Amino acid sequence: MGGDLDPTRGMYWSWQSGYINFKLEGYYTVCPSRDHFFQLHLGGYLAPFSSAQRIRLDAAEGSEIQLDLAPLLNGVRWEEKYSIMSPSAAAQRLSEILSQSFSAHAQ
Amino acid sequence: MLVYTTCLLVLGLVVGMGWPMADPYLLQYPAIWPKPAYDFSRNPLTKQGVALGRHLFYEPALSRDGTISCSSCHLSYTAFTHVDHALSHGINDRIGTRNSPTLMNLAWSRSFMWDGAVNHLDMQALAPIANPDEMGEDISHVVGKLQDKAPYPGMFYAAFGDSIITGEHLLKALAQFECTLISAHAKYDQVQEGTATYTAQEQNGYRLFQQNCASCHAEPLFTSGEFARNGLPLDTILQDYGRMRISQQQADSMMFKIPTLRNIEFSHPYMHDGRFKTLREVLNHYTSVGTPIGKANLNANEKTDLIAFLLTLSDHDFLFNPNYGYPRE
């Protein structure tokens, strides 16, 4: 749990064990919340809501890894849930979308 | 009558390598106990690490307003519980939702909290530090406060070889101290060793215990470490469904971690929400409502005998161990 995994870095849930694997917070005009604020904290290691994803990318040395956020933002059901803070079916669905959104590009 | 011929050996635990300048701490426990669940190779116990963890356990700077330390709710003289409090209170007198458990033999636990929300001892302290009803603080803020506070930078250096304080080292030091909280010197243990004998009443209580309770509260730790439903009806105000909150599985509704019964004399009031004041009330629950396995069949005299046995689990060496109290220099 040292380095970037140190719990002081804000990527560990406190009330329940487990790292937050992916965190995105911000303002999005389609979000029906106050000030359009949304919080997506995706994590969870216990079945059935395990959000860990194995991603395999074939990349040449020195490649740049890109993450396309559009599929994730289009995948969120904004009218239902814009604040995800614990392991759930929604977190699992979004982490599956995310796992498809990485790509490697040679420089 | 069960006769134990095996002599109780005291085992020293072989520890892995930590910061090489720190002195290894030898953990001692009875030879007939199972191996600890805690992986000491990833956090080798050292005298300096344990000493630091003990300081941190008594450090109110871990709370937002500097008023509450771990020991506020876990008092060493009562086996580290918040005695007399059904629900524990933290900063600004805020009341939590659960009864604070005893802390002992934690190196043998595989899950923590009444619902097993925490899966590793190292990560447990994050929960009370962040909980607004307990310490209401942020771990990164705690690290900043300790960095500016003597004797911490020096103690962290002595324990881990780094005077820059990190969340990892803070949590590992607390876990090291907690691993040393071993209760293994109750009358029960002396009887197992052959250095004491039960009274007739305690002996009968032990028999009744083995018949009615040991399937869940298994010897020698007095918990099997599993989750179970012991038949308590839901408290409609607290709405605490136990393990279901974590697993989100209907099957886990009202499942709670089976607590140890060591030092049970001191952990009143009893159960996750402190609903029973006395051991007799606890036994009345097991004979009237019962568990899914069935109702315990105990008459009034047998209840008295069973309680006499439960009192043999009190360990005065543990309660008054000078290594556990407030660290005075």
Side-chain angles (χ1 to χ4, degrees):
Chain A
M1 62 165 139
D4 285 335
L5 292 179
D6 194 290
T8 52
R9 303 288 168 103
M11 294 297 279
Y12 199 91
W13 271 310
S14 59
W15 63 278
Q16 153 176 22
S17 283
Y19 280 98
I20 301 169
N21 299 327
F22 178 90
K23 194 176 203 175
L24 186 71
E25 300 187 349
Y27 303 88
Y28 189 25
T29 44
V30 306
C31 180
S33 64
R34 192 156 65 98
D35 300 336
H36 305 298
F37 183 65
F38 71 89
Q39 283 172 296
L40 305 177
H41 296 183
L42 311 184
Y45 65 96
L46 280 178
F49 301 133
S50 162
S51 77
Q53 303 289 333
R54 188 179 292 274
I55 300 168
R56 201 193 136 93
L57 292 174
D58 289 314
E61 207 180 313
S63 291
E64 195 168 81
I65 309 279
Q66 286 185 357
L67 169 61
D68 183 4
L69 290 177
L72 174 77
L73 293 175
N74 293 331
V76 177
R77 296 178 185 142
W78 296 103
E79 294 306 321
E80 275 171 36
K81 207 168 177 162
Y82 42 78
S83 174
I84 296 181
M85 316 278 279
S86 60
S88 61
Q92 197 183 11
R93 191 175 57 80
L94 294 177
S95 56
E96 277 160 20
I97 295 178
L98 264 179
S99 71
Q100 305 296 316
S101 310
F102 285 88
S103 55
H105 302 272
Q107 292 284 46
Chain B
M1 175 179 149
L2 259 181
V3 182
Y4 278 77
T5 45
T6 22
C7 170
L8 269 200
L9 284 177
V10 170
L11 273 194
L13 203 78
V14 185
V15 291
M17 279 294 284
W19 159 238
M21 302 303 280
D23 309 310
Y25 180 101
L26 230 54
L27 204 63
Q28 300 191 325
Y29 62 90
I32 57 164
W33 281 22
K35 287 243 162 323
Y38 192 84
D39 181 358
F40 292 99
S41 70
R42 303 190 50 187
N43 184 20
L45 299 197
T46 63
K47 287 184 180 147
Q48 289 82 349
V50 170
L52 171 59
R54 178 177 171 193
H55 258 84
L56 292 168
F57 194 87
Y58 286 92
E59 179 52 78
L62 264 50
S63 65
R64 190 175 62 226
D65 60 4
T67 59
I68 301 282
S69 71
C70 306
S71 78
S72 307
C73 300
H74 300 288
L75 191 70
S76 64
Y77 303 117
T78 55
F80 293 96
T81 96
H82 205 176
V83 78
D84 272 349
H85 284 77
L87 304 173
S88 299
H89 56 80
I91 56 168
N92 302 324
D93 288 340
R94 293 180 62 144
I95 308 272
T97 58
R98 289 199 179 143
N99 181 249
S100 95
T102 50
L103 302 185
M104 74 190 101
N105 306 336
L106 290 166
W108 282 263
S109 294
R110 280 165 274 116
S111 49
F112 304 88
M113 313 309 231
W114 284 102
D115 53 12
V118 173
N119 67 2
H120 198 290
L121 183 57
D122 292 358
M123 295 306 191
Q124 191 281 330
L126 288 168
I129 292 174
N131 188 328
D133 292 335
E134 297 184 346
M135 304 171 106
E137 234 322 358
D138 182 284
I139 173 101
S140 58
H141 194 209
V142 171
V143 164
K145 283 194 281 187
L146 297 180
Q147 194 71 64
D148 296 329
K149 188 168 182 190
Y152 287 107
M155 288 190 88
F156 274 88
Y157 183 80
F160 297 108
D162 192 352
S163 56
I164 306 293
I165 299 173
T166 63
E168 178 190 13
H169 289 158
L170 171 94
L171 295 170
K172 284 189 164 170
L174 275 169
Q176 287 197 24
F177 172 63
E178 291 175 294
C179 281
T180 68
L181 307 179
I182 295 181
S183 176
H185 293 106
K187 178 169 186 187
Y188 162 83
D189 300 293
Q190 290 160 5
V191 174
Q192 304 291 14
E193 274 173 76
T195 57
T197 45
Y198 287 136
T199 64
Q201 190 180 42
E202 291 164 350
Q203 184 66 51
N204 194 40
Y206 184 36
R207 186 182 60 82
L208 295 166
F209 174 81
Q210 290 182 310
Q211 275 169 11
N212 293 290
C213 321
S215 58
C216 292
H217 299 284
E219 298 169 62
L221 295 161
F222 289 86
T223 166
S224 63
E226 306 292 324
F227 296 89
R229 211 176 272 121
N230 77 338
L232 294 179
L234 177 74
D235 180 310
T236 51
I237 295 173
L238 294 170
Q239 295 272 339
D240 191 342
Y241 291 91
R243 184 76 184 146
M244 189 170 85
R245 182 179 75 131
I246 305 305
S247 69
Q248 301 181 42
Q249 302 296 296
Q250 188 64 44
D252 286 337
S253 175
M254 296 311 283
M255 294 276 251
F256 286 88
K257 197 178 66 176
I258 300 168
T260 178
L261 299 184
R262 284 182 173 271
N263 293 306
I264 194 67
E265 180 179 359
F266 307 101
S267 91
H268 58 87
Y270 299 109
M271 304 299 167
H272 67 271
D273 51 9
R275 68 177 71 184
F276 298 134
K277 286 195 185 61
T278 63
L279 286 171
R280 192 159 287 267
E281 283 176 49
V282 169
L283 291 183
N284 291 343
H285 161 75
Y286 282 113
T287 53
S288 62
V289 180
T291 70
I293 322 174
K295 288 183 198 173
N297 189 6
L298 303 166
N299 63 33
N301 286 338
E302 290 172 325
K303 285 180 188 169
T304 307
D305 292 356
L306 184 40
I307 291 172
F309 167 69
L310 291 176
L311 298 183
T312 70
L313 300 176
S314 299
D315 176 353
H316 293 271
D317 287 0
F318 179 77
L319 304 179
F320 299 104
N321 187 324
N323 298 319
Y324 298 158
Y326 182 85
R328 282 171 241 274
E329 244 64 15

